[in-house]
Amino acid sequence: MTKDSWYNFSSRQAVKIMILLLFLTMLAPFIFKKWIYLSAEDDAYYYFSIARNLASGKGIIYNGEWSNGFQPLWLFLITPFFKIFSPELAPISCALSLGILFFLLSGFWVRRSAKLIFSGRELADFTCFLWLSSVFIFFRVSTGMETGLYLFSLALLIYILSKKFWRTDSFKISFWLLLGAVSGLCFLCRIDAVLILPPLWLGALFRHWKAR
C-alpha cells in the first residue's frame, strides 16, 4: 500500500465515514424510541418542559413558576419543534438530532482552523476525524442539551481568530464586529462562556498591538 493510498483511506475517507455515521445517528431518535430514553439527560427534560409551555403560550414556565435557569439560545431554537409537532416524542427527537447536527457542523470549522494552523490538508483532515470520532463529545452532544450548539459557536470563534493570527496581520473594524457577534453567540449558548471569551479577546488585542 503506497503512502498516498494510505492517506486517502486513513484521513479523507475516515472523515467521510464519520460524517455518514453522524448523519445516521441523527435519524436514530426518530426510528428507535429507546434511543430517546437512553440519550436525553434529566436536565434536557427541564428544557423540553419550558419549551413546551413557551410554545403553547404559557410563557417561560416550569412546574407552574417562572424560570430563568436555562441557556436562552438553545431554548428558543428548540421551542418551534414543540409548536410544529404534536406527538410528544417528535419534538424531543428533533432536539436530539439538532444537537448532533451542530456538532457535525463544528467539524467544518475545526478542519478550517487546523488547515490554517498546520498549512496542510492531511493534518487538517486528521484533526477533523479526531474531533468527530470523539466518543466523549458525541455522548455530550446527543443528550438534548445545548452542548452541540456551544461547540459549534466556539469552533467558529476559534476559526475567526486563527484566520487572523496565522494568515494576516490586518485587523479591520469588520473583524472586531464579527468577533463581537460570534462572541455574543457563544455567550447566548452558555452564559459561562464569559470565562472563556476574555482570554481570547486579550489574545486578539495583543496580536493587534504587535501588528501595528
Side-chain angles (χ1 to χ4, degrees):
M1 183 179 291
T2 64
K3 180 180 178 181
D4 289 339
S5 62
W6 180 89
Y7 158 68
N8 287 335
F9 172 77
S10 66
S11 55
R12 187 186 305 177
Q13 298 301 325
V15 170
K16 292 180 180 179
I17 291 173
M18 288 308 307
I19 292 175
L20 176 61
L21 290 175
L22 288 173
F23 268 119
L24 291 177
T25 56
M26 288 173 56
L27 299 176
F30 298 97
I31 302 174
F32 307 106
K33 290 184 178 180
K34 187 173 291 187
W35 181 281
I36 298 175
Y37 301 119
L38 293 175
S39 299
E41 288 187 348
D42 291 341
D43 288 344
Y45 287 99
Y46 173 78
Y47 272 100
F48 302 153
S49 178
I50 298 176
R52 185 177 290 108
N53 289 330
L54 186 59
S56 62
K58 297 178 182 178
I60 305 176
I61 300 294
Y62 180 74
N63 281 346
E65 298 181 356
W66 284 90
S67 174
N68 58 3
F70 57 87
Q71 308 299 336
L73 186 56
W74 181 246
L75 176 66
F76 295 134
L77 279 179
I78 66 174
T79 295
F81 296 144
F82 293 87
K83 185 71 172 180
I84 298 171
F85 302 106
S86 56
E88 184 177 350
L89 294 180
I92 297 178
S93 299
C94 291
L96 294 175
S97 296
L98 185 62
I100 299 174
L101 175 61
F102 276 117
F103 170 57
L104 178 59
L105 294 176
S106 73
F108 173 78
W109 298 117
V110 169
R111 185 187 182 280
R112 294 287 298 271
S113 299
K115 192 174 182 180
L116 289 171
I117 297 172
F118 299 123
S119 299
R121 188 177 63 188
E122 295 86 353
L123 286 176
D125 288 339
F126 184 63
T127 303
C128 182
F129 169 73
L130 289 179
W131 176 256
L132 294 178
S133 63
S134 172
V135 177
F136 172 77
I137 297 178
F138 172 76
F139 281 123
R140 295 307 306 161
V141 302
S142 59
T143 59
M145 300 289 286
E146 72 283 345
T147 309
L149 176 62
Y150 185 45
L151 292 177
F152 170 81
S153 303
L154 285 178
L156 175 58
L157 183 66
I158 295 300
Y159 169 70
I160 293 171
L161 290 170
S162 300
K163 188 176 181 180
K164 288 298 178 182
F165 277 39
W166 274 272
R167 282 292 180 266
T168 178
D169 291 332
S170 175
F171 284 77
K172 299 179 180 179
I173 186 64
S174 57
F175 164 77
W176 297 109
L177 292 175
L178 181 60
L179 186 64
V182 178
S183 297
L185 182 66
C186 293
F187 181 76
L188 290 175
C189 292
R190 281 195 63 89
I191 297 176
D192 55 11
V194 70
L195 302 176
I196 300 176
L197 296 176
L200 297 177
W201 273 81
L202 288 175
L205 289 171
F206 179 73
R207 186 72 171 83
H208 174 65
W209 175 74
K210 286 190 65 177
R212 295 181 62 182

